[in-house]
Amino acid sequence: PDVAGQIFSGMLANVARRLREEHRLGLVLPRLVLEKLMSLCTRDLSNGGRGIGNALESAFINPLARALFALDLEGRNAVTVADVVEEDKVYSVVLQ
């Protein structure tokens, strides 16, 4: 579990770095949202780091991309993830 947390943190840091470098947009994850996301991504460790990456992509990266596409980003330098929501096995993120 400790190593899984480190793997998750590294992968999430890469997502934030790419968002910053490619779109000049900061990513803010409040502690409760971060803990929820880490729990979602590390609950099944049977596939190791690859499983964590797959879960992060399904639960956060893809929903974040959809949410950013739908959001007017002009004049923004950061987005805050207010929540990660699952409905019928489909994830979405709530941005502020």
Side-chain angles (χ1 to χ4, degrees):
D2 291 337
V3 173
Q6 291 173 2
I7 291 169
F8 168 80
S9 295
M11 290 179 173
L12 188 60
N14 285 337
V15 172
R17 178 188 51 78
R18 288 189 60 207
L19 190 61
R20 188 175 53 252
E21 288 176 357
E22 294 177 18
H23 301 285
R24 296 183 181 167
L25 196 62
L27 182 64
V28 179
L29 284 160
R31 185 180 56 81
L32 291 176
V33 175
L34 182 61
E35 289 172 358
K36 180 178 183 179
L37 186 59
M38 183 157 66
S39 176
L40 287 170
C41 294
T42 61
R43 65 180 162 199
D44 179 10
L45 299 178
S46 62
N47 290 316
R50 180 172 295 172
I52 294 170
N54 291 342
L56 184 63
E57 186 173 344
S58 297
F60 186 67
I61 296 170
N62 292 339
L64 177 63
R66 288 191 301 269
L68 289 172
F69 187 73
L71 189 67
D72 181 14
L73 297 175
E74 188 159 340
R76 296 183 79 134
N77 58 6
V79 292
T80 299
V81 179
D83 201 2
V84 176
V85 180
E86 183 213 349
E87 285 187 36
D88 297 325
K89 298 183 181 182
V90 175
Y91 290 95
S92 61
V93 295
V94 178
L95 298 179
Q96 293 179 331

